[in-house]
Amino acid sequence: MIGSNPRALAGRDDVLSGVLESLRRPGGHGAVIAAEAGLGKTAVAAAAAQELETAMPVHWVYASPALTAVPYGALAALLPDITPEQTGSALAVMRAIMGKLGIGEHAAEPAGSPAAPLLIVDDAHEMDQPTLDLLSQLLDAAQIRLLVLTRTFADVAGTLPHMWDGQLTRHRLLPLTEDEVHTLCEQELPGQVATTASVELSRLTGGNPVYLLALIEEAIRSGFLVPRHGIWVVSEAEVPVGGRVADLVKGRLRALDPEDRSALETICLAEPFDLAAAFRLGMHRSIDRLAAALLIQVCGDAGNAQSLRPLHPIYGEAIRKLVPAARSARLLGKLDGQVPGTGEESLLRWVAWSLSLGTEVPAAGLLRAAEAANNRSDPRLALRAASAVPDGGTLVPARLQEARALLQLGEYEAAAAAAKGTLEEAPDLRTAKQAVVVHAQLAMRAGGDNAWVRPLSVAWRQAIERLSAVEPPGAVARARGGPEMLLVLEAVREGEYVRAESELVDLRARAAEDAEAVLFVEALLAEVLVATGRAVTALTHSSAAMALLQREGSGLLPYYPFVLHRHLTILVWLGQWEEVHRCVGTAGSSAQRSLLHSGGMADFALGLCSLRSSAMEDAARHFAAAVEEAEAANDPEGVLALALGLGSFAAASLGQREQAGRLQQAAEQVQSHGPRQYQVLAAGILSAAKLAKDSDDAAARNLRAQAAAAQESSFTAIEFTLRHLAMRLGDFSDAGRLLKITEGFEGPQAPVVNRVARAVLDQDVNALAALATSREPEMDLLLARQCTLEALRLARKGSDRAVLNRIQRLVGKQGGNGHSSLPGLTRREHDVAELVAAGYRNAEIAGQLDLSVRTVEGHIYRTYEKLGISRRDELKARFPSLRNPAAGWKPPPRGE
C-alpha cells in the first residue's frame, strides 16, 4: 500500500488520530493535510485508509503537473467508460463519477450516511480546477468524504472554502523534532546513534523523514556515518548527496521552469544570498514561486538585512554538486565578481565556489575565508583556502590557519609543523594571539604537566614588544594582558584557585573593552567558582560568557567548546537538565559544527544528567557514545578518561559486570591530558566504578585516597563528588567530612547530602528511613538504598522490634522496584547468591567455589541481611538475571 511504511509515520500519531476523527464523521466532511514534500502526507493518508477501509469505500485520486492542463485528468482512473466527447461535459463526468462511486441515484444508502465513500486527493496543489470543483460539489451534497493532501492550505483555499467553515478540518504536518529524528535514526541503524550525529542529520534534512532516510542510506555508503563499537558517529567525510538524496532533489528540480531553476541554483551556490541583491538581479518573481514551492526560505527580519537560503541544508548541498561546472561558471559570471551577501558565510560560499572553478580570489579574501572556515569548524575548506594563498606578506597567517585546520582534523604533527615559527614571525598582534592559542592547544593535547605555559607566555610577550612599533598603542596595551591570562590559565590548571580568582577579578576589570579577553576571564572564573563549591555564583559568569558568544558572532566561535564545557559542568551541578539539552541538542545553533568536533561533549553532558537522575541505562548509553566520539576526535576536550570511568560506574550499577570491566581496563590505559583536578576526578571515578562492580576494599580505599587528595588541593567540588559517590556505594566513613563540606556549598545536592551525613553521624534510624523514602530529585536511588541499609544496620543493633520490622519492609519494597537488583553485594556474595538461587545446596556451593560450608553460610547470611530477605525463594525472585543450570549454565570459577 502507498505510504504504508511505518518508518514514515514516526512522530505522526497525533495527526493521524485527528484525521481519523474527522473522516469518521458523516458524508460531507473530511480533512486537509498540508506539508512540504517528504514530510509524510501520503503515509498518513495510507494509514488512515487502512484503518477505515472496512467501514467505507476508499478511492485514491492522483494529481500531477502533466495533468494540470487536462480537465478531469486526475479522475481518469475513476472514469473508465466515459467517451472523449463526454469529458468536456461537467454533467457527464459528474454522472460517471457518481456511478463509479455508487452515490446519488446509484447509492445504496441515503446522502450523508456513514457509508459515504472516502476520496483521498494526493498532491491537490497540482490538481486541475474542474476536478476540484466537481469534488467540492460532491462534498457540499454530502455524497463523499474528502481527504486532501496539499503543499499549503493556500493552494486549495479558493476551491475548498470548507476548510474555514468546519467541514474539512486542517492538519499541518510539521518536520520531525530532534528527539523524533534520533528515534528514527536508531530504528534505522543497527546500534546506538551519538547525539551529535542525529542532531547533524536533523540539521541537514530539517526533520524531513524522506530526506532523512535517504541521507542515512547514503551516509552509511559514503562513510559520513561510521560505526565505532556499535555506536554511530559522524566522520570528517563530506556530506553525501548522491544516490537517493540526489534523486529526490532532482525530482524537485524537474518541476521548475528554466528561470526558476537558474535562480534556485544561484541561491544555493552562493547562500546566504542577499535578498536585495537577488531583486537587483531580477529574481523577484522566481523567489516568490520558489518560496511557494517550499524550496527556499527568507531569513532575517524586516529590521535587518534579509537573505535567501534553500529550505533545508541538504537541498543546497545536493544542488551544488548537481550543477555542471560550465553552468556553474556562467552563474558565477552573472555576479560580476561580487559576493552576494555581507557576512562571513557568504564570503565562504563565494570563495568555495570560486576555488572549485579555478577562479582567482585575492589573497586577502582567501585568508579571511580560511580564518572564517576555521571559526565555523569547517577545517577542509580552511585548508583549501589557506593553501591557495600565494607567497607574500600573508603567508605566515595562512600557515597559521592551516595549522588551526589540521588541529581540528586531529593531525597534530602536521599542525605543529605548520605552526612552527608563526609566533616569532607573526606580522600583527592578531596573528600572534592565534599562534599562541594553537601552541597552547597542541601542548594541552600532548598531556603532561604545565611546564609549557611560562615559556609560551614569555614568547608572546616578546612578540608583542616586537610589534609595538607597528601597531596602535591601544591595541598593544590590550594585548599585554594576554600573557597574564596565560599564566592565570596555568594557575587554574594547577588548582591554585585562590590566586587564580584574585587575578581573574583584576583582569576582568582591566579588560572591559576587549570582548575576547572578557569571554576568557568569565569562563575561567566560572570554572574556579564551581570547582570551589559555588555553582550558583559560577552560573552568572558562564551565562555571561555564553551570551557574549551569541552577541559577538563568529569571531569568538573558536572558544565555543572551551566556554560550553564549563557552562555545562555548572548546569549539571545545578540540575538544570532542560538547559543542558538545549545547549547540546539544537540543530539550528550556530555552534552545531563546533559540537561535531568537540569529541563527545554533548553525550558526556547528557550522560551526567542521566547519572544524576538515576537513569543508569541512559547514562551508560551516553557515556559509551561520548567515549567513541572522543576517541574518533582524539579527545580534544579531555573527557575520555572521565567518560570511560563514568560509563564503567553506570554499567556496574546496572549489573553489567563484563562491560564495566572492559571500560575499566580501557580507562586504565588512557592518560588524561586535562588539568590536574580532572585527573584526580578521573582516578576517583575509576575507583568508584571498581567498587560498584566488585565491592572491592582496595577500590574503596583508593576512592577515599583520591577524595583526600582533592581535599588537600582544595578541589572542593571534586572532593564532594568523590565522597558523595562513596556514600552512594555504602561507605559512610567520611560522613563527618561531608557534613562540613556541604555547609555553604552551593547547589541542590548539598542540602540532601548534608541531611544524610547528619543522620548517619547521629545514628538516627527514623531520619534515615525518611530520607530513603524522600521524593526530592537529589535523593537518587543508590543513596536512598544505602540510607535504608544503614537504617537496617542500626535497627538490628537496637531493641525496638517495631522499628526493625518497619525498616525490613522498606528494604523489601526497595528491593522489588527494579532499580537496583543487587545493591552492595561483594563479588563472592554475588557468586554464592547465584548458586543458591540456581538451587544448589550449601555443600555443593562450597565444593564449586572451593570454600568451607561455614564460609558459604556466612556469605548467605550477609546477602540476606543486605537484601532484607530471609528465604532462598526470596533470593531467587531477586535474581532476575539467573540462568538455568540445565540450560548449560556454568558456575563461577573456583578460588577467591
Side-chain angles (χ1 to χ4, degrees):
M1 178 178 290
I2 296 171
S4 61
N5 190 334
R7 302 179 308 174
L9 285 175
R12 304 309 190 207
D13 291 345
D14 290 344
V15 172
L16 177 59
S17 176
V19 167
L20 286 170
E21 182 180 350
S22 299
L23 297 180
R24 286 183 170 122
R25 293 188 296 171
H29 294 86
V32 179
I33 304 175
E36 65 170 287
L39 284 189
K41 301 186 296 292
T42 305
V44 172
Q50 189 173 27
E51 180 77 16
L52 297 172
E53 61 187 1
T54 58
M56 63 190 70
V58 178
H59 303 273
W60 286 79
V61 177
Y62 301 103
S64 73
L67 294 174
T68 302
V70 180
Y72 308 111
L75 297 175
L78 298 178
L79 301 171
D81 301 323
I82 196 168
T83 66
E85 293 77 16
Q86 290 176 313
T87 57
S89 167
L91 181 60
V93 172
M94 173 76 80
R95 287 173 174 168
I97 286 290
M98 294 176 71
K100 178 69 175 179
L101 299 179
I103 57 178
E105 61 190 38
H106 308 279
E109 302 285 345
S113 74
L118 168 64
L119 267 67
I120 302 175
V121 182
D122 205 357
D123 287 334
H125 52 278
E126 305 285 5
M127 185 73 67
D128 62 279
Q129 195 60 49
T131 296
L132 281 174
D133 290 339
L134 186 151
L135 294 177
S136 181
Q137 292 175 44
L138 292 175
L139 188 71
D140 286 335
Q143 297 289 340
I144 62 170
R145 295 177 174 87
L146 200 57
L147 176 55
V148 177
L149 314 181
T150 184
R151 191 172 50 197
T152 67
F153 294 130
D155 289 327
V156 294
T159 309
L160 296 172
H162 317 76
M163 290 189 297
W164 315 112
D165 60 18
Q167 279 182 268
L168 295 177
T169 58
R170 289 169 291 159
H171 305 270
R172 188 180 300 280
L173 208 56
L174 298 175
L176 300 180
T177 66
E178 288 169 22
D179 286 342
E180 290 166 347
V181 167
H182 188 83
T183 299
L184 186 53
C185 287
E186 294 210 324
Q187 289 174 359
E188 287 298 301
L189 294 166
Q192 185 182 339
V193 180
T195 298
T196 46
S198 66
V199 171
E200 179 65 0
L201 293 174
S202 178
R203 182 190 73 82
L204 288 167
T205 62
N208 185 306
V210 169
Y211 280 90
L212 175 63
L213 293 169
L215 182 57
I216 289 173
E217 181 180 309
E218 290 304 305
I220 297 171
R221 183 190 58 77
S222 68
F224 180 73
L225 275 179
V226 292
R228 290 180 56 89
H229 300 102
I231 297 172
W232 293 89
V233 300
V234 172
S235 73
E236 290 292 344
E238 292 186 357
V239 176
V241 290
R244 286 188 58 217
V245 174
D247 290 341
L248 288 168
V249 174
K250 288 176 183 176
R252 302 298 308 275
L253 295 179
R254 276 194 291 270
L256 302 178
D257 63 31
E259 181 183 4
D260 291 353
R261 178 165 183 162
S262 176
L264 178 60
E265 290 171 343
T266 303
I267 291 167
C268 290
L269 284 163
E271 67 163 304
F273 202 107
D274 183 70
L275 182 62
F279 283 172
R280 286 195 300 271
L281 291 170
M283 296 166 56
H284 50 282
R285 288 187 297 272
S286 290
I287 290 169
D288 290 340
R289 290 190 291 266
L290 292 171
L294 300 180
L295 283 167
I296 64 170
Q297 58 180 322
V298 179
C299 303
D301 53 55
N304 299 303
Q306 294 181 296
S307 59
L308 302 168
R309 293 179 182 273
L311 185 65
H312 302 309
I314 196 66
Y315 292 175
E317 297 281 357
I319 289 171
R320 286 191 288 274
K321 293 287 187 182
L322 290 171
V323 179
R327 181 174 176 80
S328 179
R330 287 196 300 272
L331 294 173
L332 179 61
K334 290 181 180 181
L335 300 180
D336 196 25
Q338 298 297 310
V339 181
T342 56
E344 274 188 353
E345 196 175 356
S346 291
L347 171 69
L348 285 176
R349 193 70 66 195
W350 179 72
V351 169
W353 189 3
S354 300
L355 289 175
S356 66
L357 294 172
T359 303
E360 184 176 351
V361 179
L366 289 169
L367 191 58
R368 282 179 56 209
E371 183 174 350
N374 274 322
N375 290 348
R376 294 175 173 273
S377 299
D378 190 349
R380 297 201 180 279
L381 178 54
L383 280 175
R384 285 177 64 198
S387 62
V389 173
D391 292 347
T394 56
L395 190 56
V396 171
R399 278 172 43 211
L400 183 59
Q401 297 308 324
E402 182 183 347
R404 289 182 64 196
L406 291 167
L407 192 57
Q408 289 189 63
L409 293 170
E411 299 179 24
Y412 300 131
E413 290 185 9
K420 187 175 181 180
T422 52
L423 178 56
E424 293 76 12
E425 301 171 35
D428 54 68
L429 292 172
R430 180 181 180 81
T431 302
K433 181 192 289 185
Q434 290 187 346
V436 168
V437 171
V438 169
H439 285 297
Q441 289 177 326
L442 284 167
M444 287 188 284
R445 301 277 175 86
D449 57 25
N450 298 308
W452 55 270
V453 176
R454 292 186 179 274
L456 185 57
S457 177
V458 170
W460 191 2
R461 206 173 277 119
Q462 291 171 345
I464 293 170
E465 295 308 317
R466 174 175 59 82
L467 294 165
S468 61
V470 296
E471 292 276 7
V476 174
R478 288 192 297 272
R480 287 193 172 114
E484 294 181 57
M485 291 187 190
L486 199 54
L487 295 176
V488 176
L489 175 63
E490 178 191 37
V492 173
R493 289 177 62 83
E494 289 291 340
E496 298 175 9
Y497 294 133
V498 175
R499 175 169 73 87
E501 184 175 353
S502 174
E503 293 181 6
L504 284 167
V505 170
D506 180 56
L507 283 169
R508 177 67 177 83
R510 290 191 281 128
E513 302 302 318
D514 186 343
E516 194 169 350
V518 170
L519 180 77
F520 191 73
V521 168
E522 293 283 22
L524 281 183
L525 261 176
E527 180 176 347
V528 168
L529 290 166
V530 74
T532 51
R534 293 170 285 172
V536 175
T537 309
L539 183 61
T540 63
H541 293 279
S542 68
S543 297
M546 292 292 291
L548 193 58
L549 279 172
Q550 298 296 324
R551 195 164 60 245
E552 293 295 323
S554 64
L556 296 181
L557 276 180
Y559 295 99
Y560 189 87
F562 178 82
V563 174
L564 181 63
H565 195 167
R566 285 144 185 84
H567 188 56
L568 290 174
T569 300
I570 296 163
L571 293 175
V572 170
W573 267 108
L574 297 177
Q576 297 190 13
W577 315 135
E578 290 185 8
E579 184 63 15
V580 171
H581 280 77
R582 190 191 68 78
C583 286
V584 302
T586 304
S589 167
S590 59
Q592 165 59 16
R593 291 287 303 173
S594 296
L595 283 172
L596 280 175
H597 296 274
S598 69
M601 187 191 303
D603 273 300
F604 183 73
L606 295 174
L608 289 174
C609 292
S610 300
L611 191 65
R612 282 278 305 281
S613 304
S614 297
M616 290 297 180
E617 291 185 1
D618 289 340
R621 286 169 58 82
H622 283 303
F623 288 133
V627 165
E628 300 307 328
E629 291 174 289
E631 288 184 336
N634 296 294
D635 194 21
E637 295 301 314
V639 303
L640 181 56
L642 277 171
L644 284 165
L646 289 164
S648 177
F649 176 82
S653 300
L654 291 166
Q656 298 171 359
R657 295 167 54 78
E658 185 176 344
Q659 172 71 354
R662 282 199 301 268
L663 292 172
Q664 286 171 20
Q665 289 179 358
E668 288 169 346
Q669 297 170 4
V670 170
Q671 180 182 1
S672 174
H673 59 260
R676 192 164 71 86
Q677 54 269 37
Y678 287 5
Q679 295 175 25
V680 172
L681 178 60
I685 294 292
L686 185 58
S687 295
K690 292 178 179 178
L691 181 59
K693 174 174 172 283
D694 295 327
S695 296
D696 189 335
D697 288 342
R701 289 193 298 272
N702 288 337
L703 177 55
R704 288 194 295 271
Q706 295 299 330
Q711 177 184 348
E712 184 178 350
S713 299
S714 300
F715 301 161
T716 310
I718 291 173
E719 182 192 356
F720 173 86
T721 298
L722 298 181
R723 296 199 191 282
H724 184 194
L725 264 178
M727 185 180 281
R728 293 173 75 191
L729 294 170
D731 183 353
F732 290 100
S733 59
D734 291 324
R737 176 61 188 166
L738 265 174
L739 189 66
K740 185 174 181 180
I741 295 173
T742 51
E743 293 172 357
F745 194 94
E746 295 178 3
Q749 293 181 91
V752 172
V753 174
N754 182 279
R755 292 203 300 275
V756 172
R758 171 55 63 194
V760 169
L761 292 172
D762 292 345
Q763 298 192 8
D764 189 334
V765 175
N766 291 323
L768 285 166
L771 284 162
T773 56
S774 170
R775 295 185 179 274
E776 295 181 66
E778 296 301 331
M779 175 51 72
D780 62 82
L781 297 172
L782 286 177
L783 186 56
R785 179 65 181 173
Q786 296 302 339
C787 286
T788 304
L789 293 176
E790 182 66 6
L792 179 63
R793 187 184 69 80
L794 294 172
R796 289 185 186 279
K797 290 170 58 178
S799 57
D800 192 328
R801 190 68 188 175
V803 171
L804 177 60
N805 289 338
R806 178 166 63 87
I807 301 301
Q808 285 179 326
R809 286 195 298 273
L810 178 59
V811 171
K813 286 181 181 178
Q814 286 186 335
N817 64 9
H819 293 297
S820 180
S821 59
L822 294 171
L825 295 190
T826 66
R827 180 173 182 175
R828 185 53 71 203
E829 288 166 354
H830 187 283
D831 293 343
V832 170
E834 193 165 25
L835 288 168
V836 170
Y840 287 91
R841 297 190 300 273
N842 290 359
E844 292 173 325
I845 296 170
Q848 290 282 1
L849 301 180
D850 199 19
L851 302 172
S852 69
V853 174
R854 171 169 282 187
T855 298
V856 170
E857 291 171 347
H859 283 314
I860 294 173
Y861 171 78
R862 284 188 294 274
T863 298
Y864 284 175
E865 183 180 59
K866 288 181 179 182
L867 301 182
I869 60 178
S870 58
R871 299 194 309 274
R872 290 182 176 238
D873 288 346
E874 292 176 287
L875 180 61
K876 187 169 185 177
R878 292 294 312 284
F879 227 100
S881 61
L882 176 67
R883 286 151 293 191
N884 187 342
W889 181 86
K890 296 180 180 179
R894 295 174 182 266
E896 291 288 343

